[in-house]
Amino acid sequence: MDEVPEARAIPDSTLREVVESADPAWELREATPAERGFCSVYRLAVADGDTTRRLYLKASPDGRDWAVPTEARIQAVLRAHTSIPVPEVVAVTDAHETLPTPHYLMSALPGEEVAYERVGRLADDALERLARETGQYLAELHSVPAVESFGHARHSGPELTGERPAGDPADLTVSEPHDDWPTYLRERVDPELDRHADSRFSDLTPELTRWFEAGIASLDGPFDPVLGRNDHGLHNLLVDPETGEITAMLDWGYTLAVPPAYDFEFAVYLFGGAFLSGLADVSDRRSLVREAMLSGYRAVAPNRAESVSTPEPVYEALAMVRIMNDFEHLDLPDGTEPAVMDRIRADARALLDR
């Protein structure tokens, strides 16, 4: 796995060049760095005649790809072919002699950034709405005709220098494509189990390894590759936390081509808050989330809903393993880590004992 860099600071003079390369009539008025992952992200106020545009710049931190160009194309496809609330991509620059690239400019959307862990404390009605809308948007995403094999989503369209991407699904492809889903799934599980052996839950690694081997072997197809969001969590959304309305789905660089059920199960586990239910004031709401997501999914894609209707423990377990692997990144109240770990371990044990 590539070592993740730190976001680099971009001088105001360079930010002005980025804005003017997208549209010479635009003038940068204000720029503020935003804390969003390891890429360099800036909130921009741009004068466009008598109006002010609110934009975001997202740039590679070190000149490497980091799926930044693909993310821009995916958002353009979703904007053109679905109702998923994604920012409008107004300019992409894949390579440049002096500017930090790859980068793209996108419109700002309304909504509040909410901490990942707050999912456990949303009111039931707000969580239900968030889950239902997630189901609707996943049904739309899974219906985009863009991939025919499994793997990381990538783009195959023309290189851009300050232009808008076309928003054509034909511009999306898959890197190192796999036709056999169980084979590709093993390639995803094995590195996570390697990480798990170095985690605080390493006592479970040998049993999980045997369990996954048997579980993957018993998966029953056929398997239909679709675009899968995969990187679920409140941290990648803008929402109204009082109502649960999703106003933006952000960060599409981790998009994979997977079966619909894989993507669905990850969302159920992460939005259901089971990994936080060791806290005294948090409950496991997977059932509420699953029912609401299925309702939303069926409303949009009734002919595909059967593919996500039956829970698949293998996919849920992988979501659980990833939480265990990144446990130290959870923002938990002081003194609660042991209780949360005990609950996650008990949840894993329940899967192993099925």
Side-chain angles (χ1 to χ4, degrees):
M1 182 179 293
D2 291 335
E3 184 177 348
V4 177
E6 293 185 5
R8 61 177 161 181
I10 302 177
D12 286 352
S13 59
T14 302
L15 293 172
R16 281 193 291 272
E17 288 185 58
V18 168
V19 168
E20 291 170 4
S21 70
D23 190 326
W26 289 354
E27 180 183 352
L28 178 65
R29 291 290 175 84
E30 184 179 345
T32 307
E35 295 292 335
R36 287 203 64 84
F38 62 87
C39 285
S40 299
V41 180
Y42 281 80
R43 290 186 288 267
L44 308 177
V46 174
D48 181 12
D50 294 331
T51 64
T52 298
R53 285 177 172 260
R54 300 292 176 179
L55 303 176
Y56 276 84
L57 168 70
K58 186 169 187 176
S60 165
D62 58 4
R64 287 183 286 177
D65 187 281
W66 295 111
V68 170
T70 295
E71 182 177 47
R73 270 77 170 188
I74 289 172
Q75 290 183 181
V77 167
L78 299 182
R79 183 93 178 180
H81 296 277
T82 76
S83 67
I84 299 171
V86 295
E88 178 186 10
V89 177
V90 299
V92 179
T93 297
D94 295 309
H96 195 278
E97 290 184 358
T98 59
L99 297 179
T101 55
H103 71 245
Y104 67 93
L105 286 166
M106 57 184 157
S107 61
L109 290 178
E112 185 176 331
E113 293 187 27
V114 178
Y116 186 78
E117 297 81 5
R118 190 169 170 183
V119 70
R121 294 183 173 85
L122 293 178
D124 281 353
D125 56 350
L127 181 62
E128 185 175 15
R129 176 172 179 174
L130 183 144
R132 185 174 62 253
E133 292 184 1
T134 296
Q136 293 169 351
Y137 295 142
L138 289 187
E140 290 193 62
L141 174 66
H142 297 168
S143 299
V144 174
V147 291
E148 297 179 350
S149 53
F150 303 105
H152 278 89
R154 291 293 181 263
H155 79 91
S156 59
E159 188 169 284
L160 300 177
T161 307
E163 298 91 3
R164 292 173 179 261
D168 185 353
D171 289 342
L172 301 182
T173 186
V174 173
S175 65
E176 301 180 6
H178 289 67
D179 293 326
D180 183 70
W181 168 243
T183 299
Y184 180 61
L185 180 58
R186 288 187 186 94
E187 292 185 9
R188 299 206 59 75
V189 168
D190 288 348
E192 294 296 344
L193 290 173
D194 289 342
R195 293 180 63 212
H196 194 271
D198 294 325
S199 76
R200 303 187 196 185
F201 302 86
S202 58
D203 56 298
L204 295 173
T205 307
E207 288 181 85
L208 282 167
T209 300
R210 292 190 294 270
W211 187 90
F212 273 112
E213 184 177 351
I216 293 173
S218 66
L219 288 175
D220 187 23
F223 305 106
D224 177 26
V226 299
L227 289 176
R229 177 158 170 75
N230 297 290
D231 202 5
H232 297 288
L234 286 185
H235 64 305
N236 285 333
L237 302 176
L238 297 179
V239 302
D240 180 337
E242 298 304 316
T243 67
E245 178 188 6
I246 298 172
T247 57
M249 288 184 131
L250 309 174
D251 292 342
W252 292 86
Y254 192 59
T255 301
L256 304 175
V258 295
Y262 178 93
D263 199 25
F264 194 91
E265 290 302 321
F266 264 71
V268 169
Y269 181 75
L270 294 174
F271 288 125
F275 63 96
L276 295 168
S277 59
L279 298 173
D281 57 345
V282 175
S283 59
D284 180 350
R285 293 185 285 178
R286 277 175 288 189
S287 295
L288 180 152
V289 167
R290 175 178 294 283
E291 184 176 344
M293 280 183 56
L294 278 173
S295 173
Y297 202 101
R298 287 195 184 102
V300 172
N303 295 334
R304 191 186 289 274
E306 185 178 351
S307 66
V308 300
S309 295
T310 303
E312 176 45 67
V314 170
Y315 306 152
E316 180 184 28
L318 183 54
M320 194 182 303
V321 164
R322 286 179 56 186
I323 286 288
M324 289 189 272
N325 290 348
D326 294 322
F327 184 82
E328 65 273 14
H329 297 302
L330 292 178
D331 186 8
L332 301 172
D334 289 344
T336 63
E337 283 193 1
V340 175
M341 289 181 63
D342 287 347
R343 182 64 184 85
I344 294 172
R345 184 175 277 105
D347 212 11
R349 174 58 58 192
L351 272 177
L352 289 168
D353 291 342
R354 284 185 188 177

